[in-house]
Amino acid sequence: MIKVSVKPVFFTILTLSIFIALFLLSHSSPFWSLSLASSASSRGKSDIWSVRRLVEWRPCKWWLQGHLTSLPARSNGYIRVDCYGGLNQMRRDLCDGVGVARLLNATLVLPKFEVAAYWNESRLYTSITLKFLLSGFADVFDVDYFIQQLKGFIKVVKELPPDILSKEPFHVDCSKRKGQFDYVESVLPALLEHHYISLTPAMSQRRDRYPQNAKAALCQACYNALRLTRSLEKKSSELLEAIPKPFLSLHLRFEPDMVAYSQCEYQGLSPASMQAIEAARVDRKPWTGEAARIWRKRGKCPLTPNETALVLQSLSIPTNTNIYLAAGDGLMEIEGLTSIYTNVVTKSALLTDGDFTSMHGNTKAALDYYVSINSDSYVATYFGNMDKMVAAMRTYKGLYKTLFLSRRAFAEFTYHGLKGKKLMQALWKAHRDDYVMGRGSALPDCFCEFKL
C-alpha cells in the first residue's frame, strides 16, 4: 500500500493558488496600473496623462431634460448684474447672477462688465486703487445668442421700458448673502420696492440651496449661452489654427502684481524682476521668518517658470512638447521655462502687431480661454477663476487631460530638503494622486460624478 503525504501537496496547492490570485488581482487593480505608470514614467516612457483615473466629473446635462417649471407670467422686476475683475471672474459672476435672477423671478438686463485696474494692468496707473475700465458685455460675447439660449430659463432684455430707462438701479450689497434664503428674504424686498436693482453675487454663496430652476438657469448660462462675438471667435480660431499640434496650454502666473499680492519672497530672481516686484508691492509687504515658511507651505506662493518646468519634467511631459503660453503681459523669468521647454508659443508672437495692440485685457483673456478649452491638454500653475472656468468647460466638452500643479506639494517637499530624483518622484506621486481622484475639478452644480 502506497502512502501519499497530503500535507505537502495541500500546502503546494495553497501556495500556488495564492500566487495566481495575487497575480490576477494585481493585474486587474487600478493601483497596479498606477505603479506601472509610475515606474514607466521614471524611465521616460509614460506621462501623467497615461494614468488611469478612478473618478471623473462628466456633463449629464440634467437641466435640458425638460422637467423644469415654466417661467411665471409676471416678473418681479429687473436685475442688472455688475461684474468686476478679470474676464473669467466676470463670467463666474454672470453665471451666478443668472441663477439669482431666476431665483427671484426677475427679468435680466444685459450685464455691466467693468475691468478692475490691477494685476498686470495696474502698471498703467499710479497705484492699485480700484479704478475701472469700462468694457461692455457685447465687446466679448454674442448678445443675441445669449438671449436666445436662455429662453425658457430666464427672460433677458437689451433695453429697459421707458418708465425705468432714465433711472439708475438701486444697488443691493450681496457681499454677505449666502444661498437661497438670504436672497429671497433680503434682496427680493428691494426688487419689489424699486423694480430695478443691480447686484454683484457673493463669492461665498451656497448654490446647493438653490431650487432646481435657478440651478438650471445658472448651468445653461455658464455652459451653453456664452459664445464669443463672431469677430473674436474668428480671431480665436485663427490663433488656434496657428499653434503647432498637438499642444499643451499652460496657464502660468508670475507677473509682478501677482507676486506682490501673494506677499511671498523669492531667491535668485533677476534684478529687473526684483525691482518690478518691489514697485508693485505698495503696502503689501512680504512675510518674513516663520510666517513666510508657513505661508509658503500652505501653497500661497506662485510657482516660478523654472519651478513650473521642473514639475512638468517630473510628470514626464517631454521637453519638446508644443506649449501655448496662456498668460498676461509682464510675465517674469520666462527663460526659466523656455530654456527647458523650447517649443513655447504666445499669442503676441502668433498674431499680427495690429491685431494684438488693438485688443484690451478682456479680449486677450478671451483668446487664452478659447485656446485652452480646445487644447489637447491643459495645465495651470494657479487655481484662479480662469482655471476653474477652463476646467469646467473642458469637462463639458469631454476633454479630461486637465491638471492643476500643486504649489503646496512643491513647497512641502522642498522645505524638507528633497532634491533631484527624489523631489521629482515625490512630485510625480502627489500629482498622480490628484489626477486619479479628479481633485481640483469637482463640479457638483452642473455635472455628475462617475466612478470608473
Side-chain angles (χ1 to χ4, degrees):
M1 183 176 183
I2 302 173
K3 293 183 179 181
V4 178
S5 176
V6 177
K7 198 171 184 180
V9 174
F10 172 77
F11 280 111
T12 301
I13 295 173
L14 179 62
T15 303
L16 183 61
S17 299
I18 292 173
F19 175 79
I20 292 172
L22 287 173
F23 179 81
L24 292 174
L25 283 172
S26 65
H27 276 68
S28 63
S29 168
F31 296 103
W32 169 267
S33 64
L34 291 183
S35 63
L36 279 178
S38 182
S39 61
S41 171
S42 64
R43 298 193 301 271
K45 294 184 178 180
S46 182
D47 59 28
I48 190 68
W49 312 123
S50 68
V51 175
R52 177 186 169 189
R53 301 188 76 165
L54 300 181
V55 176
E56 280 183 353
W57 290 86
R58 296 180 180 177
C60 45
K61 301 182 182 179
W62 58 266
W63 65 93
L64 299 176
Q65 305 290 320
H67 307 305
L68 301 174
T69 307
S70 58
L71 288 172
R74 185 174 179 179
S75 168
N76 286 328
Y78 296 86
I79 289 181
R80 187 186 75 193
V81 182
D82 292 348
C83 305
Y84 302 98
L87 176 64
N88 291 286
Q89 179 179 335
M90 292 193 288
R91 181 195 292 263
R92 182 206 66 199
D93 287 345
L94 174 57
C95 295
D96 289 338
V98 169
V100 172
R102 181 64 182 91
L103 173 68
L104 302 182
N105 183 30
T107 299
L108 188 71
V109 182
L110 285 181
K112 181 181 180 182
F113 273 24
E114 289 185 341
V115 184
Y118 52 80
W119 298 134
N120 54 43
E121 292 189 346
S122 66
R123 56 194 167 80
L124 301 174
Y125 301 90
T126 57
S127 70
I128 309 181
T129 308
L130 288 182
K131 299 177 181 179
F132 297 106
L133 302 172
L134 186 61
S135 177
F137 175 77
D139 290 346
V140 181
F141 296 112
D142 186 326
V143 171
D144 292 329
Y145 185 82
F146 179 73
I147 294 173
Q148 178 61 34
Q149 289 298 309
L150 287 177
K151 189 175 181 180
F153 292 89
I154 189 172
K155 185 178 180 181
V156 186
V157 295
K158 292 182 181 180
E159 296 180 353
L160 292 163
D163 58 322
I164 299 179
L165 186 60
S166 60
K167 298 179 181 178
E168 278 296 309
F170 177 81
H171 183 70
V172 180
D173 180 11
C174 294
S175 59
K176 296 181 180 179
R177 311 297 183 204
K178 295 180 182 179
Q180 174 187 355
F181 301 105
D182 280 341
Y183 279 107
V184 171
E185 293 173 8
S186 302
V187 180
L188 183 57
L191 177 65
L192 294 173
E193 178 183 353
H194 299 280
H195 305 295
Y196 179 31
I197 65 172
S198 67
L199 56 83
T200 301
M203 291 179 65
S204 59
Q205 64 180 300
R206 292 279 305 278
R207 300 191 197 100
D208 59 314
R209 294 168 65 186
Y210 280 14
Q212 286 295 94
N213 54 20
K215 287 184 180 178
L218 181 151
C219 294
Q220 180 70 359
C222 267
Y223 303 112
N224 284 334
L226 292 172
R227 185 174 73 181
L228 298 179
T229 63
R230 289 185 180 181
S231 60
L232 193 51
E233 190 168 76
K234 181 175 181 294
K235 188 58 60 184
S236 300
S237 180
E238 291 171 355
L239 176 60
L240 180 63
E241 186 66 27
I243 300 170
K245 312 293 188 301
F247 75 99
L248 178 152
S249 179
L250 175 64
H251 188 212
L252 180 57
R253 298 299 308 270
F254 202 70
E255 305 92 347
D257 309 83
M258 180 72 174
V259 176
Y261 189 82
S262 72
Q263 296 182 273
C264 298
E265 280 198 307
Y266 292 84
Q267 303 296 324
L269 301 184
S270 69
S273 296
M274 294 300 294
Q275 185 177 0
I277 294 169
E278 287 303 315
R281 283 202 193 278
V282 191
D283 58 345
R284 298 188 70 87
K285 301 302 179 184
W287 296 105
T288 58
E290 184 62 22
R293 286 189 288 273
I294 294 172
W295 191 248
R296 184 171 289 276
K297 285 178 69 177
R298 287 176 61 192
K300 298 296 185 179
C301 298
L303 293 172
T304 69
N306 185 255
E307 291 169 345
T308 300
L310 176 62
V311 179
L312 293 179
Q313 284 181 292
S314 76
L315 303 180
S316 291
I317 295 176
T319 55
N320 63 349
T321 300
N322 296 314
I323 294 179
Y324 172 79
L325 194 59
D329 302 332
L331 192 63
M332 302 182 297
E333 305 288 319
I334 188 60
E335 297 80 8
L337 172 71
T338 56
S339 62
I340 299 171
Y341 285 87
T342 54
N343 296 331
V344 177
V345 297
T346 63
K347 54 184 171 292
S348 59
L350 295 174
L351 294 174
T352 64
D353 289 341
D355 284 336
F356 191 73
T357 55
S358 65
M359 303 180 100
H360 55 67
N362 270 358
T363 50
K364 289 178 183 178
L367 293 181
D368 285 342
Y369 174 83
Y370 183 92
V371 169
S372 295
I373 65 171
N374 290 291
S375 60
D376 298 283
S377 53
Y378 178 76
V379 172
T381 64
Y382 198 69
F383 193 48
N385 291 306
M386 173 171 168
D387 308 306
K388 295 171 186 176
M389 298 302 293
V390 167
M393 187 55 76
R394 286 179 60 82
T395 300
Y396 191 76
K397 290 165 64 70
L399 301 172
Y400 297 102
K401 291 183 178 181
T402 303
L403 187 67
F404 303 103
L405 302 189
S406 176
R407 293 164 290 155
R408 178 176 293 183
F410 185 87
E412 184 71 26
F413 297 147
T414 53
Y415 175 78
H416 286 99
L418 295 186
K419 296 179 181 179
K421 187 176 180 180
K422 288 186 177 180
L423 174 59
M424 295 183 77
Q425 287 175 341
L427 288 169
W428 164 267
K429 291 176 182 177
H431 288 88
R432 177 200 66 188
D433 293 346
D434 284 349
Y435 185 69
V436 164
M437 299 307 297
R439 289 183 193 141
S441 56
L443 305 160
D445 296 318
C446 310
F447 295 79
C448 299
E449 184 181 31
F450 286 81
K451 293 184 179 179
L452 306 179

